[in-house]
Amino acid sequence: MNEGKRQMITEMRNENSEGLHLFSTMEIIELMNREDKKVAYAVEKALPQIKAGIDAAVSRLEAGGRLYYIGAGTSGRLGVLDASECPPTFGVPAELVNGIIAGGEMAVRIPVENAEDNREEGRIIVEQLLVKEDVLVGIASSGRTPYVIGAIEQANEKGCQTIGLSCNLQTELAKAADIMIEVPVGPEIITGSTRLKAGTAQKMVLNMISTAVMIKLGKVYGNLMINVQASNEKLRKRSVSIIQDITGADESFAKEMNEKAKGNTRAAILMILYKLSYEQACEELRKHGDHFPRAMKALEDRSE
């Protein structure tokens, strides 16, 4: 892209002009790619705050709490997406990680006008769904979405752990949340379209939160999804492969034991390694709070 068009981009951002339509397809996507490269660096600067949020969430979930995301528009949809992917990936109950979007489930697909402006509705949904043991992550690109602010305020009053996630600095959300994650990604190439860099940044942070929380809760062993829900043929094969990787069993025996364990990959692994029945394997997991690495460590210590 020549210097003249770079200057046009600067002017476009400053004056909100409509110069993008003058760009070729390649110039548009080159610009988007350059802007997207900034996102990971912005997230990197927020790692200490992300860590604090993760550690706080783990503490609450280990004590029986649940994790909630709440947002409006793109932010709400990203929260719903991250929450909905936790059960199949990590084998956790659907109610452990939850996504709330302003305007309700319909707003995931169809925008609900003015839903994000209703501070009181944010308060009401938190009052209805959350208890003091829970964690609420309020997601708002601007950091000032009334629905999210109201939700965080109500969660604070209930004694919940509150975490804010914004793409701006020193916002109203930052004042309200116990822990604030700020990822300032700068202006979007289409002014105000927070589905772009802001959305990418939020997705990256939510990936970190849910993944790290699940690792700390023992839903991953090594880098393997030992809690994966084998709901289709592809995932059943993956379960057998995981059993083979950890136990060294051949495919036939791994498949047989997985069937005896009723598709419970973790139980099948314990059954093979420690010569347990299915019931004994399940009891070991239960004794250790369903934390697979801890169950493995305890059985290893006893077998020495």
Side-chain angles (χ1 to χ4, degrees):
M1 184 181 296
N2 63 37
E3 190 58 35
K5 287 196 173 176
R6 284 200 178 89
Q7 180 63 30
M8 183 184 295
I9 294 168
T10 302
E11 293 173 356
M12 178 178 57
R13 288 178 180 164
N14 292 338
E15 301 173 13
N16 196 29
S17 63
E18 298 179 348
L20 281 177
H21 70 277
L22 301 175
F23 289 15
S24 70
T25 301
M26 183 57 72
E27 287 170 335
I28 291 169
I29 62 176
E30 284 177 345
L31 172 59
M32 293 182 72
N33 184 236
R34 273 195 298 277
E35 290 297 307
D36 285 343
K37 289 175 183 176
K38 299 176 183 177
V39 175
Y41 292 110
V43 171
E44 182 179 17
K45 291 179 181 178
L47 289 179
Q49 292 73 44
I50 297 169
K51 175 193 178 295
I54 290 166
D55 289 344
V58 169
S59 178
R60 288 295 182 108
L61 268 62
E62 284 184 329
R66 299 162 297 173
L67 174 61
Y68 281 85
Y69 299 127
I70 192 163
T74 297
S75 297
R77 293 182 190 100
L78 289 169
V80 170
L81 172 63
D82 197 75
S84 66
E85 290 179 341
C86 286
T89 305
F90 301 109
V92 296
E95 61 270 17
L96 185 66
V97 185
N98 309 271
I100 304 171
I101 183 170
E105 290 186 11
M106 182 177 72
V108 173
R109 294 177 294 104
I110 303 170
V112 177
E113 296 299 329
N114 302 319
E116 69 177 57
D117 297 328
N118 197 324
R119 198 180 194 114
E120 188 59 28
E121 280 300 315
R123 283 183 164 272
I124 290 170
I125 197 69
V126 166
E127 182 60 34
Q128 290 175 342
L129 297 180
L130 275 71
V131 296
K132 66 179 182 178
E133 293 81 9
D134 294 335
V135 180
L136 181 64
V137 179
I139 314 167
S141 296
S142 65
R144 58 176 182 268
T145 306
Y147 179 85
V148 175
I149 302 296
I152 290 289
E153 290 173 340
Q154 186 64 28
N156 285 334
E157 291 175 15
K158 291 177 76 74
C160 302
Q161 175 71 61
T162 58
I163 301 167
L165 171 55
S166 156
C167 293
N168 279 331
L169 298 172
Q170 300 177 337
T171 63
E172 188 177 356
L173 180 58
K175 296 174 184 176
D178 295 328
I179 297 169
M180 189 64 203
I181 300 168
E182 295 175 317
V183 191
V185 294
E188 305 284 5
I189 70 159
I190 298 176
T191 303
S193 182
T194 54
R195 58 180 285 272
L196 299 175
K197 286 189 300 183
T200 301
Q202 290 170 355
K203 181 67 168 71
M204 290 175 72
V205 173
L206 295 179
N207 280 349
M208 290 180 175
I209 291 173
S210 58
T211 302
V213 165
M214 292 302 155
I215 291 170
K216 301 294 280 186
L217 291 177
K219 309 307 180 186
V220 174
Y221 187 73
N223 66 337
L224 299 174
M225 297 190 299
I226 41 91
N227 267 36
V228 64
Q229 296 299 288
S231 55
N232 57 44
E233 185 59 28
K234 178 188 77 174
L235 294 179
R236 282 189 285 274
K237 288 181 178 178
R238 181 173 297 169
S239 294
V240 170
S241 177
I242 290 170
I243 294 168
Q244 289 182 263
D245 285 346
I246 295 176
T247 67
D250 62 36
E251 182 178 357
S252 176
F253 186 58
K255 185 175 181 180
E256 176 188 343
M257 295 304 287
N258 196 40
E259 289 172 355
K260 286 185 178 180
K262 303 176 184 178
N264 186 331
T265 304
R266 297 163 303 149
I269 292 166
L270 298 182
M271 290 162 66
I272 294 170
L273 290 178
Y274 302 104
K275 310 258 187 305
L276 303 178
S277 68
Y278 172 64
E279 291 74 20
Q280 289 171 325
C282 290
E283 176 60 18
E284 289 295 331
L285 290 166
R286 188 198 64 77
K287 278 179 6 186
H288 294 90
D290 213 33
H291 194 292
F292 181 77
R294 288 178 190 161
M296 284 275 283
K297 178 70 165 56
L299 286 165
E300 285 172 10
D301 290 346
R302 277 164 27 198
S303 65
E304 289 178 353

